[in-house]
Structure formats: structure tokens, C-alpha cells
């Protein structure tokens, strides 16, 4: 059973709109939770890092939240751009990867 | 900006052959990782390496796999006898220390025929 589940599997939004991606995990305890952006055929690129005690972390238009009680994290993308089209991956403790959310931003 | 580099970018090999994938992590980084991603699937952790020894490994990382840091810059992944199911993109990554940004390399696409 996968310990990191992401939803939705895919998402299409219009340029300029906001969106929120979800990550539910069962790993406990854990040290850190990361969000990555991965373009097709490329290596993942770090967006945010949170320790188990942090609730929120921002990086430009990306804001990640973490609720350790419900074991949920979210990634909010503000004012989406065409270049945001990619897969977004949630990772717990550098070892447990979600399957990712495939985001497509359309003009 | 410093980056993780990997060679080769692509490798095609015959089943049963040995392959060595090479990585040059960012200098002064202390933690090193190998991951793989089968086409269309999620990234999977293989092994982490710190202070010249394996710190964690997954069940995928069986006796056919080994890692080495032969000098101060290179970090290699060896697959002794490749199988068809080893076909994947292999990513190397490194972290300076602690819970800091993890940098991934561009990957090596391995195809086993």
C-alpha cells in the first residue's frame, strides 16, 4: 500500500487561475515533507521543504501547508502560468513518493 | 548555480550485462541518493549514502545493485546483471546537510534489451 497518495491525478486549469493539490500520507513519524515540480523527462526540482513541526512554507507563487494531525499536505499555486504545466510530487522523508498530480495550464 | 551532473544521458545494454551510472553531486554536499523512475510511473527510492556508507536502501536495491564513491567527486550506481525490468530513468540527487534542498541530476535513461 502506497504511503503517500496524491489527488487529483490530473488537473487542467486556465492561465492566471489558482489551484490546490493534495497529498495524504500515512508515514508516521516522519522528518520532512517535500514538494517537487517535475517536467517530463527531467529531474524533479524542489519547491518547498517542511519539517514535521511546520505548518506552512512559501516559495514565490507556491505555498505548501502541512497538517500533522490529519496527515495531509497541500500545494497551492497562485496565478498559474503556462510554464507551471508539469507533474507535482509530494515526498515524505526523501524516500516515499506520491504518484504526482499532472497539472496542465491552458491559455 | 551548482548542479548535479550525470553520465551518460542514455545507455542501451543487453540483458545480463553490467552497467555503471555516474553522478557528480554538488561539491560540499554530504548526502547522496539514487532513485529510479520507470516510464509513466512514480519516482522510487533506491539508496541513500552518507559518510561513505549506505544509510538507507529500499527493497528494490538488492544484491544486483551497488553504490560507490570512488573519489571525492563521483558517486556511482552499478547494476551487475541487468534485467529487462531495470529499464528506467535513474536519478542521482544530493543534499548539503540536514533538511535542506535536495538537488536532482538530469537522469540517465537506461534501456535493457
Amino acid at each position: 500500500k502506497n504511503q503517500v497518495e496524491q489527488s487529483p491525478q490530473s488537473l487542467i486549469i486556465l492561465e492566471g487561475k489558482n489551484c490546490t493539490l493534495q497529498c495524504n500520507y500515512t508515514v508516521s513519524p516522519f522528518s520532512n515533507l517535500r514538494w517537487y515540480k517535475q517536467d517530463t523527462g527531467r529531474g524533479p526540482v524542489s519547491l518547498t521543504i517542511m519539517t514535521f513541526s511546520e505548518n506552512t512554507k512559501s516559495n514565490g507563487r507556491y505555498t505548501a501547508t502541512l497538517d500533522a494531525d490529519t496527515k495531509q499536505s497541500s500545494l497551492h499555486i497562485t496565478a498559474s502560468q503556462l510554464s507551471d504545466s508539469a507533474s507535482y510530487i509530494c515526498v515524505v522523508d526523501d524516500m516515499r513518493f506520491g504518484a504526482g498530480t499532472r497539472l496542465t495550464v491552458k491559455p | 548555480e551548482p548542479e548535479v551532473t550525470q553520465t551518460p544521458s542514455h545507455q542501451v545494454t543487453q540483458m545480463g550485462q553490467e552497467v555503471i551510472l555516474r553522478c557528480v553531486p554538488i561539491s560540499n554536499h554530504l548526502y547522496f541518493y539514487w532513485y529510479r523512475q520507470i516510464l509513466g510511473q512514480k519516482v522510487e527510492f533506491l539508496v541513500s549514502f552518507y559518510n561513505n556508507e549506505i544509510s538507507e536502501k529500499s527493497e528494490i536495491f538488492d544484491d544486483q545493485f551497488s553504490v560507490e564513491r570512488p573519489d571525492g567527486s563521483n558517486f556511482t550506481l552499478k547494476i551487475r546483471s541487468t534485467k529487462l525490468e531495470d529499464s528506467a530513468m535513474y536519478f542521482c540527487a544530493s543534499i548539503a546537510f540536514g533538511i535542506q534542498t535536495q538537488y536532482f541530476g538530469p537522469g540517465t535513461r537506461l534501456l535493457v534489451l
Side-chain angles (χ1 to χ4, degrees):
Chain A
K1 182 179 185 299
N2 195 18
Q3 295 176 297
V4 180
E5 299 283 351
Q6 292 189 243
S7 62
Q9 191 172 27
S10 62
L11 182 63
I12 300 174
I13 61 173
L14 292 176
E15 187 180 11
K17 297 296 187 183
N18 304 335
C19 66
T20 300
L21 314 180
Q22 300 290 342
C23 174
N24 295 341
Y25 59 92
T26 59
V27 184
S28 183
F30 72 97
S31 168
N32 66 85
L33 186 147
R34 302 174 187 262
W35 282 93
Y36 288 91
K37 176 185 179 185
Q38 185 181 27
D39 293 311
T40 303
R42 310 286 291 273
V45 175
S46 180
L47 296 176
T48 63
I49 312 163
M50 289 182 290
T51 65
F52 68 93
S53 60
E54 294 179 291
N55 299 121
T56 187
K57 186 67 69 77
S58 290
N59 177 9
R61 295 182 296 105
Y62 302 103
T63 300
T65 64
L66 177 61
D67 186 333
D69 291 331
T70 61
K71 294 186 172 57
Q72 294 180 327
S73 177
S74 66
L75 180 70
H76 186 74
I77 304 174
T78 304
S80 60
Q81 301 174 357
L82 298 179
S83 58
D84 291 336
S85 295
S87 287
Y88 290 83
I89 305 171
C90 172
V91 187
V92 177
D93 286 343
D94 307 325
M95 293 187 290
R96 296 170 179 85
F97 284 71
T101 291
R102 178 76 206 172
L103 176 66
T104 301
V105 180
K106 294 196 167 183
Chain B
E1 184 173 308
E3 57 182 17
V4 176
T5 59
Q6 291 184 241
T7 55
S9 58
H10 295 77
Q11 180 148 5
V12 180
T13 190
Q14 295 290 325
M15 188 172 57
Q17 294 297 304
E18 174 184 286
V19 295
I20 297 177
L21 309 183
R22 292 183 168 79
C23 169
V24 179
I26 295 171
S27 64
N28 82 346
H29 280 198
L30 301 177
Y31 296 83
F32 313 113
Y33 305 79
W34 281 104
Y35 300 92
R36 78 173 187 189
Q37 187 173 28
I38 296 170
L39 187 64
Q41 298 187 22
K42 67 174 183 173
V43 177
E44 298 174 293
F45 168 76
L46 293 178
V47 65
S48 59
F49 193 86
Y50 169 71
N51 199 25
N52 284 320
E53 60 183 31
I54 290 173
S55 46
E56 298 272 359
K57 62 181 182 178
S58 72
E59 57 190 28
I60 301 170
F61 194 87
D62 60 22
D63 293 343
Q64 292 300 311
F65 291 87
S66 62
V67 289
E68 196 175 45
R69 190 159 160 79
D71 53 43
S73 59
N74 290 285
F75 180 50
T76 63
L77 174 69
K78 181 193 290 186
I79 310 174
R80 287 190 183 79
S81 179
T82 50
K83 298 180 280 225
L84 296 176
E85 54 264 37
D86 292 328
S87 295
M89 181 77 97
Y90 288 80
F91 293 108
C92 171
S94 69
I95 296 175
F97 60 89
I99 303 174
Q100 296 206 345
T101 301
Q102 185 179 41
Y103 294 88
F104 279 75
T108 292
R109 184 168 295 283
L110 176 65
L111 178 60
V112 182
L113 301 176

